Amino acid sequence: MRTTALLSRDPAAPFTVETVDLDAPRADEILVRIRAAGICHTDLVNRAAGKADRPVLLGHEGAGIVAEVGAAVTSVAPGDHVVLTFRHCGTCPNCTAGRPAYCRRSTALNHFGRRADKSPRVTVDGTAVRDGFFGQSSFAGYALATADNAIVVDPGTDPAVAASFGCGFQTGAGAVLNALRPEAGAWLAIYGGGAVGSAALLAARTIPDVRTIVVETATARRDLAGELGADHVLDPAHADIVATIRELTGGGATHALDTTGILAVLADAFAALTTGATVVAVGLGAGVPPIDVRDMVLQGKTIRGCLEGDAEPGTFIPHLLDLHGRGLLPVDRLVTRFPHTEIEAALAAQRAGRVVKPVLTW
């Protein structure tokens, strides 16, 4: 079949809206009519990879309606409304232990995973498109996915809001609810007020008596954090963050989340912890943070990573959507919709800090 797609032919050039040919679903595949797809930083990072392998079809926060399923698919049916998330094998030790984000085949399945027989799923003018991003490549009117990364949701769910639960919102909320698990009386410091940090803040607000501090450089995002209920919002350009957090909390944060991937920020988050506290890192930075090992040992502090919110998407995404439906997780405050043909305007607005979570619609 033919559909429109947003292709990247050069990471330095704008996305192009093109007509592509999509293969029919194989036995283990499903065809999804995309209604909305969030733009995530991970899309943009991977856009620059593999410059010789073009064009690239990205998108890993898709939401839509199942149009067709392969002969071997039994858990998803045509007409189901779905949120598309990351793939996992379901059989490795990490998957069977309930940690599918750490699937041992994750890289092969998600990083432009190819079919076993190497046949193309998407072509343009006869040329194979580099697709299979997170098992979906959902920057298109239709996407081929699989049952293991399609989460069936209520038909009344707004796809533009639901889409980003596939990655960004799941990551932020899961880091709080699954990894950090603060209890009443806790102080949670969140570094970065973008989509992931804001989702984390909203998730923390669902736990009674958890107090929050958001550290953010952009004025608009600091203002939003205050509107979303942060107890304190700090500008690192005008405050000694470590000293200020220690003073506000009476000795240090009990929990912290770094969404930035910046080594110096992670080091500050660690330094601002109280005894026995933990900082979770979700930003994919590079290098080694300047951590005082004596401080870590003598104060019993912990740094740990967290991928995709340590979530089991089949249960966690419906849980988050239930919280949203009950008005307890108003992530719609973070979403700005753009027609898919206006992806460059969406990216410009995101870079300028005018929007937190741009979502493309079809």
Side-chain angles (χ1 to χ4, degrees):
M1 68 171 297
R2 290 199 150 190
T3 188
T4 57
L6 303 172
L7 299 183
S8 176
R9 292 184 173 275
D10 181 340
F15 281 88
T16 53
V17 182
E18 302 188 38
T19 299
V20 300
D21 289 294
L22 198 65
D23 198 14
R26 299 289 175 86
D28 62 340
E29 295 174 337
I30 65 174
L31 178 66
V32 179
R33 179 165 66 87
I34 299 297
R35 301 282 305 284
I39 299 177
C40 179
H41 181 67
T42 305
D43 291 307
L44 306 182
V45 170
N46 283 275
R47 180 187 185 189
K51 294 182 180 180
D53 195 1
R54 298 280 154 180
V56 171
L57 178 55
L58 297 160
H60 68 287
E61 292 183 348
I65 302 171
V66 177
E68 187 179 346
V69 302
V73 176
T74 59
S75 59
V76 181
D80 283 345
H81 291 238
V82 293
V83 171
L84 300 180
T85 185
F86 61 89
R87 290 205 64 194
H88 63 288
C89 74
T91 58
C92 75
N94 291 336
C95 285
T96 57
R99 307 192 75 199
Y102 306 97
C103 172
R104 291 186 177 179
R105 294 190 58 212
S106 178
T107 298
L109 292 173
N110 290 291
H111 194 71
F112 301 104
R114 301 178 67 184
R115 283 171 164 166
D117 65 0
K118 312 300 183 187
S119 63
R121 284 173 292 242
V122 184
T123 58
V124 57
D125 297 329
T127 300
V129 172
R130 192 180 190 209
D131 75 317
F133 194 50
F134 279 63
Q136 54 182 284
S137 284
S138 50
F139 282 175
Y142 283 82
L144 283 171
T146 56
D148 71 82
N149 69 322
I151 311 303
V152 178
V153 299
D154 187 278
T157 303
D158 182 345
V161 173
S164 297
F165 283 110
C167 184
F169 294 166
Q170 176 173 237
T171 295
V176 173
L177 300 178
N178 298 331
L180 285 167
R181 300 189 178 190
E183 298 178 344
W187 274 103
L188 169 63
I190 300 169
Y191 296 79
V196 173
S198 295
L201 171 61
L202 291 173
R205 297 280 296 165
T206 68
I207 306 171
D209 197 29
V210 170
R211 292 162 290 180
T212 53
I213 301 168
V214 174
V215 181
E216 169 57 50
T217 58
T219 301
R221 292 182 176 180
R222 287 198 305 274
D223 292 343
L224 178 62
E227 294 172 10
L228 296 177
D231 292 282
H232 300 279
V233 183
L234 305 178
D235 180 354
H238 297 95
D240 180 331
I241 294 301
V242 174
T244 301
I245 289 179
R246 284 177 173 166
E247 180 180 358
L248 289 171
T249 60
T254 59
H255 304 75
L257 171 63
D258 173 43
T259 71
T260 70
I262 299 171
L263 300 182
V265 174
L266 179 57
D268 279 352
F270 180 81
L273 293 175
T274 191
T275 301
T278 297
V279 55
V280 161
V282 299
L284 289 176
V288 180
I291 299 298
D292 185 339
V293 176
R294 285 178 57 84
D295 185 29
M296 179 173 65
V297 175
L298 295 177
Q299 298 298 320
K301 298 180 181 181
T302 302
I303 302 175
R304 61 151 295 187
C306 177
L307 188 62
E308 294 288 354
D310 271 12
E312 196 294 297
T315 56
F316 193 57
I317 290 176
H319 172 62
L320 295 179
L321 287 170
D322 176 65
L323 290 175
H324 174 261
R326 291 190 283 137
L328 301 176
L329 196 72
V331 292
D332 50 290
R333 293 283 310 277
L334 312 178
V335 170
T336 303
R337 304 159 199 253
F338 292 84
H340 67 276
T341 53
E342 297 181 12
I343 184 172
E344 292 301 320
L347 292 172
Q350 185 182 44
R351 284 192 296 266
R354 295 192 299 272
V355 304
V356 174
K357 187 64 180 183
V359 173
L360 304 174
T361 59
W362 272 263

